[in-house]
Amino acid sequence: MKVLVVGASGTIGKLVVKELGTNHEIIEVGKTKGQYQVDITDENSVKALFEKVGKVDAIVSVAGNAHFGLLGEMTAEQFKIGLHDKLLGQVNLALVGQHYLNDGGSITLTSGSLSHDPIVYGANASTVNAAIDGFIRGAAIELNNGKRINSVSPTMLKESLDVYGAYFSGTDPAPGEKVALAFRKSIDGRQTGQTYRIW
Amino acid sequence: MKVLVVGASGTIGKLVVKELGTNHEIIEVGKTKGQYQVDITDENSVKALFEKVGKVDAIVSVAGNAHFGLLGEMTAEQFKIGLHDKLLGQVNLALVGQHYLNDGGSITLTSGSLSHDPIVYGANASTVNAAIDGFIRGAAIELNNGKRINSVSPTMLKESLDVYGAYFSGTDPAPGEKVALAFRKSIDGRQTGQTYRIW
């Protein structure tokens, strides 16, 4: 299968490329790296990407940022960071990408465990992650011709323990290859409207 | 208790005012109606509202719109309607309102059953409703001094059957007074981080 991976150079992205690359053709996309570049927050940039790449069998998004900060100090502008980047950015990939997806193809987005297992500083991420899982449930029932959409919801990665461990104190970290496997399940399987929780 | 109800003139709003009005002091707020007016999508308008009203014991939001339309035709601009109105609008009420809430006071937002029980045309609402439930889980653990936050997630109201019945075909509608009761539980109780599902 021809698999477009947006965010291919990130921590999860690299593991997904490694896992899927064993038997799929991977097109690596990044903000500044990879074979193609895209600004997922800009619908026109996403359209330009798909115009260049053409039809694919799977769209994988492991991209997007949320705002981390104390609730007591959070502003609307800060809150918009997650809404426009990790949430609307990934939704853009799905809204545009659905028209460049071969029949039976899949879209797989990334949410995260903070949707249900919150941490201090994480209210924006909790919102955005829950939103992505809600979006794939809503979108799944409207896709036609066997087209599917799922999300992978990882907790903190083992590979990110040094950087984020203190914020996720007491959290059992997920091995990156287990997260990558969930993307494979979404792509190789036939399920739709599912959130694969790696936590 | 002094209870601020934003969206007081709407279908749910009227029922909430009726239910809570039996033993609480209600301040009715609307976009164009009520004792005070606010544009919840504008952080400054929300700040101005609370500057006028002062401290309250409970903030209730039964306000905000999402976009309804086919996924196959949905644009980023349309998707932003729900993100900026029902989602960020209610988040604005919480982010600003937390600083005008008396100790032990509560914030109660409105999400909806489409988060998990999707319908055609509803992908934006599914996203936004799930997001609100994620937000209150994230925000609940950061509020101090007994301040609390919950959401009420209604399905289609019995009172809205004539208007929305065809879109929710096969859905058991919720009696409005049952939805209003959930707001009372959030305000009079001590729970936090909870979503009260009326479906």
Side-chain angles (χ1 to χ4, degrees), chain A residues 1-189:
Chain A
M1 284 190 222
K2 203 169 168 180
V3 180
L4 188 82
V5 178
V6 180
S9 69
T11 308
I12 300 181
K14 280 179 191 157
L15 294 160
V16 169
V17 168
K18 191 181 166 194
E19 169 64 36
L20 297 173
T22 58
N23 67 331
H24 292 302
E25 178 196 344
I26 310 293
I27 304 162
E28 296 189 29
V29 181
K31 206 184 282 183
T32 57
K33 297 175 187 170
Q35 297 164 249
Y36 296 93
Q37 282 74 50
V38 69
D39 174 5
I40 58 170
T41 68
D42 176 2
E43 192 183 28
N44 289 321
S45 175
V46 175
K47 281 180 183 167
L49 168 71
F50 280 105
E51 275 304 306
K52 276 182 269 178
V53 172
K55 287 217 159 189
V56 296
D57 300 297
I59 299 163
V60 169
S61 168
V62 281
N65 298 307
H67 171 74
F68 285 85
L70 289 173
L71 183 82
E73 299 170 357
M74 208 172 285
T75 66
E77 278 312 305
Q78 290 172 328
F79 205 86
K80 277 184 190 167
I81 294 172
L83 296 192
H84 288 176
D85 200 305
K86 186 170 181 179
L87 175 52
L88 190 56
Q90 296 199 90
V91 166
N92 279 337
L93 286 170
L95 291 182
V96 176
Q98 65 180 326
H99 304 296
Y100 293 87
L101 200 58
N102 288 323
D103 290 356
S106 66
I107 300 169
T108 313
L109 308 183
T110 303
S111 57
S113 62
L114 296 184
S115 63
H116 289 80
D117 194 19
I119 59 170
V120 172
Y121 299 107
N124 186 240
S126 290
T127 307
V128 167
N129 291 343
I132 291 158
D133 295 342
F135 173 69
I136 63 97
R137 285 190 291 271
I141 65 163
E142 290 199 51
L143 290 173
N144 296 318
N145 303 319
K147 295 178 188 178
R148 305 174 296 104
I149 184 164
N150 298 297
S151 59
V152 174
S153 175
T155 185
M156 174 187 54
L157 260 65
K158 220 171 195 165
E159 287 77 359
S160 306
L161 204 52
D162 286 352
V163 187
Y164 299 121
Y167 297 101
F168 285 82
S169 189
T171 296
D172 186 23
E177 62 266 32
K178 207 172 156 184
V179 175
L181 258 186
F183 284 92
R184 176 179 286 288
K185 180 186 277 189
S186 175
I187 292 164
D188 291 351

Side-chain angles (χ1 to χ4, degrees), chain B residues 118-134:
Chain B
I119 60 170
V120 173
Y121 300 107
N124 186 239
S126 290
T127 307
V128 167
N129 291 343
I132 290 158
D133 295 341

